[in-house]
Structure formats: C-alpha cells, structure tokens
Amino acid sequence: RRVAFNRSLDAGRTWLPREIGLDDTAGSALHPFDPQIASDDRGSVYVVWLDDREGFVTWDYLALPDKDE
C-alpha cells in the first residue's frame, strides 16, 4: 500500500519530475489506506489517510499550501 502525489504550480502544464510518496523515507513503517484529497479555492491541497502502523488505526494528514502562501 502506498499513498503518493504529484503537484503542478502552473495549471497542469508541468509537474514535479517525480511523485512524492508519504512512505519515501527508508525503513518507513507507514501503513496508509483510504486516502482522501481536497483543495480549497486558494489552491492549497490537503491529503488525509488512515494509518495502522501503531497497531491501531489513526488519521494522518498532509497540507500543501498554495505556492503564494
């Protein structure tokens, strides 16, 4: 299981050269599932997912502010 994303700062004309994975750290114990993504009218992106790495389910999140923030 893997949660990953990519991002464009120019309305989709170009993208990051490589997707960013939430488990890209070597030896990561991340066990993500049920990811959800949302954005606001300023262009910020929010990703939430469930994670059971601690032996019980918790919510984790990542917030990516608009490039101008």
Side-chain angles (χ1 to χ4, degrees):
R1 297 177 291 189
R2 186 162 191 262
V3 177
F5 66 93
N6 204 319
R7 184 175 185 188
S8 173
L9 299 176
D10 57 10
R13 286 188 293 268
T14 62
W15 295 85
L16 295 174
R18 178 178 169 275
E19 68 181 18
I20 298 170
L22 300 177
D23 58 351
D24 280 351
T25 305
S28 172
L30 190 67
H31 298 135
F33 60 98
D34 196 21
Q36 305 292 316
I37 189 168
S39 63
D40 62 26
D41 57 355
R42 295 177 304 180
S44 297
V45 175
Y46 307 92
V47 181
V48 297
W49 65 94
L50 293 169
D51 189 311
D52 62 358
R53 70 181 132 185
E54 301 294 332
F56 53 90
V57 176
T58 60
W59 282 101
D60 278 330
Y61 71 94
L62 175 67
L64 301 167
D66 180 310
K67 66 179 180 180
D68 295 328
E69 288 187 28

